[in-house]
Amino acid sequence: MTFDFMLPYYGDVQLMQDAVRSVLAQTDPDFRLVVIDDGKEPDVPGWFAELGDERVHYLRNEQNLGITKNFQKCVSLSEADHVVIMGCDDLLHPHYLETVRKIIDANPGIGMVQPGVEVIDGDGNVAYGLADQTKRRLYAPKVDGRRVMGGEELATSVLRGNWLYFPSICWRGEALRKVNFRDDYSVIQDLALVVDLLEAGERMVIDETTTVFRYRRHAVSESSVQAFSGTRFTEAERYFSAVAARMDARGWPRAARAARFHSASRLHALTMLPGALRRGHREGLRTLTRHAFTAGRRADG
C-alpha cells in the first residue's frame, strides 16, 4: 500500500518548510512527498535540494497556475494507492501515516479517511474559533471512535454544513484521479470533490480516536477587501443550485434539500455582514445579504 503526500505550495516559506518537516518526521517512513511550487520565492529550490531525501520531489511551475489548476496538477501527478493533498501551512502529527494506514487496513477499499484534527492559529496555538465550534456542534455527525458514512447520508451532512477538514483527508488514489477537482470552482472545490466522489459510490471513514493533523486557521483580516466582497458566496450559490438539481435527479431528496438551504454557508455570510458594513462595501453587503437570507428553491416550485 503506497502513499503520496502532495503539497501545492504558494505563500509563506517558513510555514511551508514546517509542513515539509512534519511529513519527514512520520513514524511510518514509507511515503513519497511531492511539492508543486506555484510561486517565485528565490531560496525555495535550493532549500529542497539541500534536503537530500529521495522521498521528496520538488517541482516549480513555469507560470502561476492558481489554486484550482495547481490542485488539479497535484492529483494528476499523484501515483500512489492513497493520496493526501495537505495545505502548505498545515502540520502532520508524527503518527498521521501510521494511524491512517491502520484505518485503511481495517476498511479495505475505503475512498476517503477523515482523521482526527486539531485547529491551530497563525502562531501554532490550538484555537477553536466560532467557525470550528459551529462545525463540531451543529454540523459534524456524532462519532464515537470510528464511523463509516457514504451515499445520501454523508452528502446531506456535508451539504448542510461542510464540517470536513479537507487538507487532512486521505483519498483513495484511483478514485481521486478519476474524478479530480472541477474547473469551475476556486473556493468550494473541496466540497464539490467530496460530493462527486460520493456520487461515484465512494465512502468515508470518520475517525475520532486520536488527533493526527493540525489544521491552521488564519484570522480574516479587516484590511482585506476580498474577505468582505461576497465573491465566494456568489460561487457557493452557483454550486448549491447545480448540486441540488443533481441530487434530485439521483433520487437523494434529503441531500437536495440540504443543498438548497445550505445553512452553514448562509450563516457564514451572516457573520461577514458586520465587517462589510464597517468597510462600506456596498456590493459585498448586497451579495452577503442575498446569500444569508435567501435559500434556493426548486426550479419546478
Side-chain angles (χ1 to χ4, degrees), residues 202-221:
E202 301 296 332
R203 299 181 303 151
M204 174 182 286
V205 172
I206 301 126
D207 181 74
E208 293 291 344
T209 61
T210 183
T211 298
V212 296
F213 193 92
R214 308 190 81 197
Y215 175 85
R216 196 179 302 272
R217 176 84 69 186
H218 295 280
V220 176
S221 171

Side-chain angles (χ1 to χ4, degrees), residues 233 236-237 240 262 265-266 269 287-294:
F233 298 104
E237 289 173 4
F240 285 120
H262 49 270
S265 183
R266 292 169 62 206
T287 302
L288 292 167
T289 300
R290 182 182 68 246
H291 191 77
F293 295 106
T294 306

Side-chain angles (χ1 to χ4, degrees), residues 111-122:
M112 298 166 276
V113 176
Q114 170 62 82
V117 173
E118 65 182 354
V119 181
I120 58 176
D121 62 19

Side-chain angles (χ1 to χ4, degrees), residues 4 16 27 31 44 69 90 127 140 144 155 169 173 214 249 261 277:
D4 279 344
M16 177 274 293
T27 56
F31 61 83
V44 170
K69 289 192 178 299
D90 297 322
D144 183 13
I169 296 174
R214 308 190 81 197
F261 197 67
L277 183 63

Side-chain angles (χ1 to χ4, degrees), residues 8-9 11 51 118 127 138 147 157 213 230 234 250 267 280 293:
Y9 164 59
L51 283 179
E118 65 182 354
L138 295 184
R147 180 178 173 185
S157 181
F213 193 92
T234 300
R250 182 167 290 277
L267 178 61
F293 295 106

Side-chain angles (χ1 to χ4, degrees), residues 114-133:
Q114 170 62 82
V117 173
E118 65 182 354
V119 181
I120 58 176
D121 62 19
D123 297 320
N125 302 310
V126 176
Y128 287 92
L130 178 61
D132 297 290
Q133 292 181 38

Side-chain angles (χ1 to χ4, degrees), residues 17-18 21 43 52-53 73 75 83 101 106 108 121 135 146 149 153 173 179 191 206 217 225 233 246 267-268 283 301:
Q17 292 173 343
D18 290 344
R21 292 187 185 101
D43 297 331
D53 193 321
K73 186 171 181 178
V75 173
V83 180
R101 191 186 293 273
D121 62 19
K135 273 189 176 190
R146 290 176 186 163
M149 294 180 70
E153 179 188 27
V179 172
L191 175 60
I206 301 126
R217 176 84 69 186
V225 174
F233 298 104
R246 293 211 320 266
L267 178 61
H268 185 193
E283 183 60 32

